[in-house]
Amino acid sequence: MSALDGRITEVAVGAPADGLVLDVDDQGPPDGDVVVLLHGFPERATCWRDVVPRLHAAGLRTLAVDQRGYSPRARPGRRRDYRADLLRDDVVSVVEAAVDRVGPDRRVHLVGHDWGAVVAWLVAAERPELLATLTTFSVPHPGAYLRAGVRSKQLLRSWYMAAFNVPGLAERMAQQPGGRFEQLLARTGMTPPELARFRAEVVEDGALPGGLGWYRALALSAGAMGAGRVRVPTTFVWSDGDTAIDRWGAEHCGDFVRAEYELVVLTGVTHWIPTQAPAAAAEAVLDRVASLG
């Protein structure tokens, strides 16, 4: 961990011999309660850029993390390096670094979108003592997601996961600007500016193979994905324009939380909540933080 004027700018993760380092964008009041922000696929920490000013205005400090596969110094090449337990432990390292810096008696507020939500659920289930609250966007608790696969159209909505597991297919689709990969993202609701950011920050910067590694390691992650019940005050936010996540999983997410819980449904919003509904995203986080009194 390094710091500039007390800021956390990087966190070493994994085994020391691996030499993996995650980049962290630490902003906001230095003495504010800490909110750790986890992005999803195929985005990076910049997806929170319109959310964090609203959190800072409320006195919160934000740590937006470029996760494994995305941070330039944390892009291992093996499929097994993207197992869910390793992704979870990466975030635990970030949270522990934050707790060490602000004091052991202060827990952090954990926030995640898409794949970042999955990892946030895993951290909350395994290490609740580190967290004050949990707010997740788009992807429900893994247990609800798996149940939705047999009780709704979730499997049909998740067809792209199989395509992402074909070696080299997604990489070839993404080579051409405006090609099939970007067309797929556009059908999920990504706007032209968001597609341009995807091209610059993920494809051209070399982060796409690492991001795809999260999908390709799913077969190796069965144990870790069986997350237990969450005992942290939680808000789950789902949008009715989400083409990837079925309503059933969203509505049954609360079955896996044994603490104060709220489901927020955004109307007319696509899957990309942090970039397309930043005010609503920030409000959900702030309401959950305020629920502690």
Side-chain angles (χ1 to χ4, degrees):
M1 177 178 63
S2 69
L4 179 65
D5 296 330
R7 297 295 186 179
I8 299 171
T9 59
E10 59 183 38
V11 175
V13 297
D18 295 337
L20 303 181
V21 177
L22 301 184
D23 294 329
V24 180
D25 186 12
D26 181 351
Q27 297 187 47
D31 59 346
D33 287 348
V34 173
V35 180
V36 175
L37 299 160
L38 308 176
H39 65 83
F41 177 88
E43 296 184 296
R44 295 177 67 168
T46 56
C47 74
W48 301 105
R49 67 195 184 282
D50 294 328
V51 176
V52 293
R54 294 170 165 87
L55 303 184
H56 300 160
L60 298 173
R61 176 180 178 180
T62 59
L63 274 63
V65 185
D66 263 349
Q67 297 189 79
R68 181 181 293 234
Y70 297 88
S71 283
R73 292 173 290 171
R75 295 176 181 173
R78 302 173 302 181
R79 183 175 65 148
R80 67 185 187 218
D81 291 323
Y82 295 94
R83 298 192 321 266
D85 60 314
L86 299 178
L87 305 175
R88 176 199 65 207
D89 292 347
D90 286 352
V91 174
V92 169
S93 294
V94 174
V95 171
E96 288 179 336
V99 170
D100 287 345
R101 184 60 57 85
V102 301
D105 58 331
R106 294 173 66 183
R107 296 169 293 166
V108 310
H109 305 280
L110 187 59
V111 178
H113 173 248
D114 186 78
W115 257 113
V118 176
V119 178
W121 286 114
L122 300 179
V123 173
E126 293 292 327
R127 299 296 305 274
E129 76 279 4
L130 295 173
L131 306 184
T133 69
L134 174 69
T135 305
T136 58
F137 295 91
S138 300
V139 179
H141 185 285
Y145 183 88
L146 292 173
R147 286 188 185 178
V150 296
R151 301 187 182 185
S152 72
K153 296 181 179 179
Q154 184 58 62
L155 281 179
L156 294 175
R157 290 175 179 259
S158 302
W159 66 269
Y160 59 91
M161 292 187 180
F164 287 171
N165 273 276
V166 178
L169 176 61
E171 290 90 335
R172 291 193 298 272
M173 290 173 59
Q175 285 179 357
Q176 181 64 38
R180 294 176 63 189
F181 203 109
E182 291 183 23
Q183 292 170 17
L184 169 65
L185 293 175
R187 287 198 292 271
T188 70
M190 264 200 177
T191 64
E194 290 164 347
L195 292 171
R197 187 162 49 85
F198 159 73
R199 168 114 339 237
E201 295 184 359
V202 178
V203 178
E204 295 176 358
D205 195 60
L208 183 59
L212 291 167
W214 293 44
Y215 293 95
R216 293 169 179 170
L218 275 171
L220 308 176
S221 301
M225 292 297 284
R229 266 55 175 180
V230 169
R231 291 173 170 80
V232 175
T234 298
T235 296
F236 174 57
V237 184
W238 178 77
S239 44
D240 65 2
D242 195 321
T243 61
I245 303 297
D246 192 85
R247 179 182 288 271
W248 194 97
E251 292 180 342
H252 290 81
C253 180
D255 298 346
F256 295 86
V257 180
R258 297 293 182 267
E260 183 179 341
Y261 173 79
E262 181 181 8
L263 168 64
V264 175
V265 177
L266 302 181
T267 302
V269 179
T270 75
H271 178 79
W272 312 103
I273 296 173
T275 54
Q276 296 183 6
E283 182 180 3
V285 175
L286 292 173
D287 285 350
R288 176 46 61 197
V289 171
S291 73
L292 296 182

